[in-house]
Amino acid sequence: MLKVLIPTIMLFPTIWLSSPKWLWTETTAHSLLIALVSLTWLKWTSETGWAVSNMYLATDPLSTPLLVLTCWLLPLMILASQNHINPEPISRQRLYITLLASLQTFLIMAFGATEMIMFYIMFEATLIPTLIIITRWGNQTERLNAGTYFLFYTLAGSLPLLVALLLLQQSTGTLSMLILQYSQPCTLQSWGHKIWWAGCLIAFLVKMPLYGVHLWLPKAHVEPPVAGSMVLAAVLLKLGGCGMIRMMVMLDPLSKELAYPFIILALWGIIMTGSICLRQADLKSLIAYSSVSHMALVAGGILVQTPWGFTGAIILMIAHGLVSSALFCLANTAYERTHSRTMILARGLQMIFPLTAVWWFVANLSNLALPPLPNLMGELMIITTMFNWSPWTITLTGTGTLITAGYSLYLFLMSQRGPAPSHIMGLSPFHTREHLLMVMHLVPVLLLITKPELMWGWCH
Amino acid sequence: MADYKEAYLATRPKTLDPAEYFNLSPDYRRTEEERAALRSRLKRHYLVQLNNPHRKELIEDPALTRWTYARTSNIYPNFRPTPKTSLLGGLFGVVPLFVLYFVFKTDRDKREDKIKAGNYERPYKLSS
């Protein structure tokens, strides 16, 4: 763990001491090296459930793929931000990369945490750099509204979590997940205990987001610059998923009855947010709502608490993280050229950017869960486990899959096909950097087809 | 309007055709002239931007901006709870949650009773 954490902390001196000519090269190279070192975590040598570095930082089959995803994403974020940050003075550029690096540090410590309270503190700490990125570097005036919604929805959800964790500490004497996984399932009957159950989960459900409390997500994904959108979609939503899987271990007997409202909200949310996607005029907003739809599937898979559910949830989280981030990068390429997120403005792009049309194609096919990509494998496992939970869910999840295919194809056809309008002809061609960015997003997704055991959680 | 001249290679609009001109009322003539002046001003603005050799960005279309604003950011201020919208909101947002809760609960309770009575036959052999 330290072999990744210390280089990440040393990223701060790298940022502030590099000469301006070499800043972006050095930070990209440094973060790429961290990403390559983090791949060593994938070699699983521990006999126990956890590969423990010390008492407070450990990796297990749930957090390992998420940690590798987080470390992989930092060089991609820095690559993607080069163009739009370029006009700004050098110290502001350094500040921007510092925010990304600090976000990375908090995320590594959050995913690697063994104490629930450390997870909670890091969970909250990631809010601050993200808030600064959204409200300071966003492009429209709505960014203030977006930052407010983002901050206060998440805080309102996580304050009950703090209280619940303190109560747990009071009753069991420890919050270390290494110990809590062996605690006895407690019979909890009273209303207070039910509220405690809800308090444990609501923070993560707001973060994921669940359908009823998802309102912060379209705003918070649309307003920030590309790096903010990438990290939000790819990693921060998965913090909620990871937290939920961790908490589920301790919440067992009550969850059978109390999970119903949330499972139903998640399932209905798949259909509702999918349908909203079909009505969107704004490109990034469509990708944001599709994130809600996929994460609702993940939430449903986690809440039914079966091994297949957890496995499907982890696979879908990783695959969705990479693909959603890729889509935001593609949307950013269109935004940098037309300075507008309107879909009908940047249409017919296939005629002018044929290679980019390939990336759009692959990213949209991944989004609609084409076999044999891991998106489908995760969705299929979750749909199967929900079918086992109750056969009637297949109506909702099946319709949801259909609508997902519908809006993904709509996105592809709207942006790529059709006659190219005359104002598109003069757009500047694609940089190698942008193609590299897309390859680095999509090749891991394709490679994960060959070795999905890396993502299977505890089922290997 | 006697000294209106068409642009080179353009055609005279029908509303300013002198053959019909004197049959029209002065009000109608005035409004048509104003509209033609507005249109030509907008067209000139667009053509100036189009042919500017130093232009690097897209020409902004104000109609598209207004449409986008209306579709994305201006929805809630124009929302009003009417019987129709309340019915739609309830039908798609509230009722399905209760219907689904009812469906899933009865289905799973039936299965739970069968398991407790020992009658439930497992349809699939799933590993671990």
Side-chain angles (χ1 to χ4, degrees), chain A residues 324-459:
Chain A
S324 210
S325 180
L327 280 171
F328 273 117
C329 288
L330 284 169
N332 182 56
T333 60
Y335 180 79
E336 279 178 4
R337 285 165 177 76
T338 58
H339 288 291
S340 160
R341 294 192 301 259
T342 317
M343 274 202 288
I344 53 182
L345 192 60
R347 62 185 194 277
L349 293 176
Q350 185 171 3
M351 282 295 118
I352 309 143
F353 304 131
L355 183 56
T356 316
V358 174
W359 308 137
W360 274 101
F361 191 48
V362 176
N364 278 310
L365 288 180
S366 320
N367 204 17
L368 65 85
L370 189 76
L373 292 165
N375 303 67
L376 177 74
M377 296 306 145
E379 284 195 13
L380 213 51
M381 294 187 94
I382 296 181
I383 293 179
T384 312
T385 191
M386 302 232 59
F387 182 73
N388 181 34
W389 183 78
S390 167
W392 294 97
T393 55
I394 198 90
T395 55
L396 294 168
T397 48
T399 320
T401 316
L402 190 64
I403 300 181
T404 307
Y407 67 68
S408 296
L409 282 178
Y410 170 65
L411 175 57
F412 176 65
L413 294 175
M414 186 58 108
S415 60
Q416 305 300 115
R417 298 291 164 114
S422 53
H423 62 257
I424 293 287
M425 297 298 181
L427 292 180
S428 53
F430 262 67
H431 306 283
T432 313
R433 171 184 62 89
E434 292 168 336
H435 286 303
L436 177 67
L437 192 60
M438 291 315 300
V439 166
M440 283 172 76
H441 273 110
L442 295 175
V443 163
V445 177
L446 296 173
L447 286 177
L448 277 172
I449 304 174
T450 59
K451 198 174 168 73
E453 292 95 47
L454 300 171
M455 295 189 289
W456 273 355
W458 297 275
C459 292

Side-chain angles (χ1 to χ4, degrees), chain A residues 142 256-257 260 264-265 267-268 272 279 281 307 338 342 344-345 387-393 396 423, chain B residues 58 64 67-69 71-73 92-93 96-97 100-101 103-105 107-109 111-112 124 126-128:
Chain A
E142 288 87 12
K256 241 172 85 162
E257 303 302 316
Y260 275 90
I264 290 168
L265 270 173
L267 287 173
W268 189 240
M272 290 300 281
R279 292 274 304 165
T338 58
T342 317
I344 53 182
L345 192 60
F387 182 73
N388 181 34
W389 183 78
S390 167
W392 294 97
T393 55
L396 294 168
H423 62 257
Chain B
L58 284 186
L64 187 63
W67 181 82
T68 315
Y69 178 71
R71 280 285 294 248
T72 58
S73 322
F92 280 95
L97 303 178
L100 288 171
Y101 179 77
V103 165
F104 292 147
K105 198 89 171 61
D107 181 53
R108 280 178 61 82
D109 284 346
R111 192 193 292 185
E112 188 71 23
Y124 318 105
L126 290 176
S127 60
S128 66

Side-chain angles (χ1 to χ4, degrees), chain A residues 74-312:
Chain A
L74 184 60
L76 268 52
M77 286 194 279
I78 298 180
L79 263 179
S81 314
Q82 269 181 9
N83 194 9
H84 74 87
I85 282 281
N86 223 3
E88 305 210 6
I90 199 72
S91 56
R92 220 175 285 165
Q93 295 186 17
R94 291 191 209 268
L95 184 61
Y96 189 73
I97 312 179
T98 308
L99 285 170
L100 295 179
S102 61
L103 197 53
Q104 175 85 338
T105 324
F106 293 143
L107 284 168
I108 295 178
M109 289 205 277
F111 283 127
T114 55
E115 299 267 341
M116 278 311 290
I117 200 76
M118 175 150 140
F119 183 81
Y120 174 78
I121 295 177
M122 292 303 142
F123 180 82
E124 298 293 296
T126 56
L127 291 181
I128 299 173
T130 319
L131 180 71
I132 301 178
I133 293 178
I134 296 177
T135 50
R136 169 59 184 83
W137 273 280
N139 288 314
Q140 278 82 31
T141 55
E142 288 87 12
R143 68 186 193 260
L144 300 172
N145 200 9
T148 313
Y149 265 69
F150 168 67
L151 187 68
F152 285 108
Y153 262 74
T154 319
L155 279 182
S158 57
L159 214 46
L161 176 63
L162 181 61
V163 176
L165 284 178
L166 293 174
L167 279 173
L168 191 58
Q169 162 84 5
Q170 186 79 358
S171 69
T172 61
T174 176
L175 278 177
S176 173
M177 287 183 258
L178 303 168
I179 301 176
L180 281 175
Q181 57 184 338
Y182 299 116
S183 60
Q184 303 294 332
C186 25
T187 55
L188 303 168
Q189 297 298 336
S190 71
W191 275 101
H193 288 129
K194 292 186 183 161
I195 296 180
W196 173 80
W197 183 94
C200 284
L201 278 185
I202 293 219
F204 303 119
L205 290 171
V206 169
K207 191 81 175 178
M208 277 200 80
L210 190 65
Y211 174 56
V213 290
H214 70 290
L215 219 48
W216 62 271
L217 190 135
K219 295 187 204 287
H221 272 60
V222 163
E223 296 309 324
V226 60
S229 290
M230 282 168 75
V231 75
L232 261 171
V235 187
L236 290 178
L237 301 188
K238 284 57 184 174
L239 258 185
C242 175
M244 255 172 79
I245 297 183
R246 296 257 189 250
M247 290 304 288
M248 275 294 169
V249 169
M250 300 164 244
L251 295 174
D252 193 12
L254 267 181
S255 303
K256 241 172 85 162
E257 303 302 316
L258 288 180
Y260 275 90
F262 300 116
I263 301 180
I264 290 168
L265 270 173
L267 287 173
W268 189 240
I270 304 174
I271 298 185
M272 290 300 281
T273 49
S275 314
I276 295 179
C277 276
L278 289 167
R279 292 274 304 165
Q280 287 299 319
D282 182 337
L283 182 55
K284 276 174 93 163
S285 196
L286 193 149
I287 307 172
Y289 273 108
S290 102
S291 276
V292 180
S293 181
H294 289 284
M295 294 313 281
L297 257 179
V298 172
I302 298 176
L303 284 165
V304 293
Q305 307 167 76
T306 58
W308 275 37
F310 283 168
T311 306

